[in-house]
Amino acid sequence: MVQISGIKAFKIIDNVFWVGAKDWSRRLFDSLIPLPKGTSYNAYLVIGSEKIALIDTVNPGFEKALEDKIRDVVEPRDIDYVIMNHAEPDHAGAIPYILGIASKAKLITTSIGLKMAEIFYGVPIERIFVVKDGDKISLGSKTLRFIEAPMLHWPETMFTYLEEDGILFTCDFFGAHLAEGMFDDEVEDILIHAQRYWAEIMMPFRFSALKALEKISNLDVRIIAPSHGPIYRNPKKILSKYFEWAQGIAKEKVTIIYTSMWGYTEKVVKLIESELIKQGIHTVVYNLAYVDIGDIAKDLADSKALIIATPTVIGFAHPLTMLAMYIAKLLKPPVKYVGLITLYAWGTNADKQLVNALKELGVEIMDTVNINVTPTDNDIKRVRELTTKIAQKIKE
Ligand code: FEO
């Protein structure tokens, strides 16, 4: 009989299987984040000598794929525990389906997860078993330990650690939106994808991330199994990157974001770019009209400075500039220094508007240069001074 590969489980090590789904076609997450390489919803089956646990499930629409992969290894009705590391529907959306066919299974979650299991998925309370930090369950030959890791990126999030095999199941943490590759070493640019994911999802929660990293620092972690993207069988690199990002360690790097309607703003941006490059600064430029915001997020995650250049539209900053500012405010990048350039024809409030929008980011505004369409010699001098000031600051 012909076997359709999509229904096969993937063995990670003995008695631990990937039973998730790859979503090559998905192009948007949260109706906001572009997914140029699709994504995966990783779920894992852990089989002990006495009990069976399923760790996380899949996005709605992939329930049958999950069921088929489980069935490739065990009968779904034999599952004893369904572990919900995170309640967001891309990992927990198939819980009602799985609890329907695994009729004896208990749902394991944190105390905050309990409420979410009720309101999102209508799981009856008698089927929920609440665990707290450090609690363990035995599957016989395998032991699962639960590690509370709240606000990564929801309040109920936790990790599950398989003690005997040193596998840490972290759900979104250490994830990457990538359908490609089962293991980290199969994806050449894995850290780029991981950084992008970090910036989009985890960067606003840097301090929670740092706490979680400290909490797991004494664990013998041989494999990290997140719920998006490849499994890290070489976890050292990603762990050290996460420590860097969570501490907000940035590079001598400037990200420039701009909008230009008639090319005047773009000319000023080109001047800034060449001045920064001349001063040995790693410079990244994004035209907001064409950009993938995930790329901007990725670069803001390790830039010490940001330069925003915008034309004026009906007295205010271009709407795309304001959208980018709003997203930056949500993502809380570790940027320290900002330069502002506004262009106008007959008057502008864009400078004040941008300064206001930046208030909550806790950045130092190095200068604001307002240019009346074509830069004067004095404007050019000020733009050069601004780039020099920023270059000096980030080299300090
Ligand atoms: Fe991948 Fe927070 O869900």
Side-chain angles (χ1 to χ4, degrees):
M1 198 173 96
V2 177
Q3 176 71 67
I4 300 168
S5 62
I7 66 168
K8 295 293 278 182
F10 179 86
K11 183 173 141 183
I12 302 169
I13 57 165
D14 281 350
N15 295 314
V16 180
F17 295 86
W18 176 85
V19 290
K22 288 188 178 280
D23 193 347
W24 293 90
S25 306
R26 189 162 181 173
R27 284 293 171 267
L28 205 56
F29 207 87
D30 290 345
S31 299
L32 177 69
I33 299 167
L35 304 181
K37 304 277 245 172
T39 193
S40 64
Y41 317 110
N42 301 336
Y44 301 96
L45 198 63
V46 181
I47 302 168
S49 54
E50 289 164 26
K51 307 262 188 196
I52 298 170
L54 173 69
I55 301 179
D56 294 319
T57 69
V58 291
N59 199 81
F62 291 86
E63 294 90 346
K64 188 69 172 60
L66 171 66
E67 180 189 347
D68 286 346
K69 289 195 186 75
I70 294 170
R71 208 178 283 287
D72 185 40
V73 187
V74 296
E75 274 302 317
R77 66 169 174 270
D78 293 336
I79 293 173
D80 298 280
Y81 305 111
V82 176
I83 292 158
M84 186 176 79
N85 277 331
H86 176 27
E88 198 165 5
D90 51 330
H91 310 293
I95 281 175
Y97 183 90
I98 288 296
L99 289 183
I101 53 176
S103 50
K104 67 171 178 179
K106 289 267 187 200
L107 183 77
I108 294 188
T109 181
T110 58
S111 55
I112 301 174
L114 175 138
K115 183 73 188 155
M116 291 186 173
E118 282 184 302
I119 60 174
F120 274 93
Y121 309 113
V123 180
I125 194 149
E126 60 277 11
R127 292 201 68 182
I128 304 176
F129 183 71
V130 169
V131 288
K132 54 185 188 327
D133 198 42
D135 281 357
K136 297 179 185 189
I137 57 166
S138 172
L139 307 180
S141 53
K142 294 193 186 292
T143 314
L144 298 176
R145 192 198 310 175
F146 304 103
I147 299 165
E148 286 187 25
M151 294 318 298
L152 296 177
H153 57 129
W154 281 19
E156 84 299 357
T157 44
M158 70 170 182
F159 303 155
T160 299
Y161 179 60
L162 172 51
E163 292 189 339
E164 289 78 4
D165 302 301
I167 305 182
L168 189 64
F169 300 93
T170 54
C171 205
D172 280 340
F173 207 55
F174 301 113
H177 279 312
L178 198 61
E180 176 194 346
M182 288 308 299
F183 292 108
D184 57 305
D185 46 83
E186 295 167 349
V187 182
E188 208 178 346
D189 53 353
I190 179 62
L191 290 178
I192 303 284
H193 295 284
Q195 181 171 341
R196 186 182 156 107
Y197 186 89
W198 159 269
E200 292 161 343
I201 309 290
M202 295 296 163
M203 190 159 66
F205 306 99
R206 276 202 291 129
F207 299 106
S208 307
L210 208 49
K211 274 189 200 159
L213 288 167
E214 277 158 12
K215 215 168 182 179
I216 61 170
S217 61
N218 291 326
L219 286 184
D220 169 25
V221 178
R222 281 167 263 160
I223 293 175
I224 292 176
S227 288
H228 294 292
I231 296 161
Y232 290 88
R233 56 184 167 193
N234 313 282
K236 268 194 190 142
K237 253 193 207 165
I238 189 69
L239 274 168
S240 90
K241 276 287 168 195
Y242 257 60
F243 266 109
E244 247 177 56
W245 297 331
Q247 290 174 85
I249 294 173
K251 297 178 178 163
E252 288 182 3
K253 175 173 167 183
V254 177
T255 296
I256 304 172
I257 56 174
Y258 77 98
T259 317
S260 192
M261 296 189 297
W262 293 103
Y264 293 94
T265 310
E266 192 165 53
K267 273 190 194 157
V268 181
V269 166
K270 287 196 185 305
L271 170 67
I272 295 169
E273 181 198 9
S274 68
E275 287 293 314
L276 287 169
I277 290 173
K278 215 159 61 187
Q279 295 174 69
I281 302 297
H282 179 181
T283 305
V284 186
V285 182
Y286 288 111
N287 180 339
L288 293 172
Y290 309 111
V291 79
D292 169 335
I293 57 161
D295 289 334
I296 299 188
K298 176 190 88 49
D299 282 309
L300 287 179
D302 60 6
S303 289
K304 273 196 190 160
L306 167 66
I307 293 178
I308 303 153
T310 185
T312 299
V313 182
I314 321 176
F316 293 94
H318 192 283
L320 290 179
T321 309
M322 293 318 292
L323 176 64
M325 297 303 305
Y326 182 68
I327 292 171
K329 198 167 97 178
L330 290 179
L331 297 182
K332 301 184 178 70
V335 163
K336 285 193 169 65
Y337 311 107
V338 172
L340 300 175
I341 309 289
T342 71
L343 273 84
Y344 68 98
W346 59 87
T348 183
N349 286 304
D351 51 348
K352 294 179 204 77
Q353 197 188 10
L354 292 178
V355 169
N356 252 338
L358 286 164
K359 268 184 189 149
E360 284 170 45
L361 267 182
V363 293
E364 190 179 337
I365 298 174
M366 305 307 295
D367 201 359
T368 305
V369 184
N370 294 318
I371 297 170
N372 194 194
V373 184
T374 302
T376 60
D377 288 347
N378 189 48
D379 291 334
I380 291 172
K381 184 171 158 270
R382 282 189 62 199
V383 167
R384 287 204 164 110
E385 282 168 1
L386 171 65
T387 59
T388 304
K389 228 195 269 183
I390 286 182
Q392 281 168 353
K393 275 282 184 188
I394 66 180
K395 283 179 178 174
E396 269 173 13

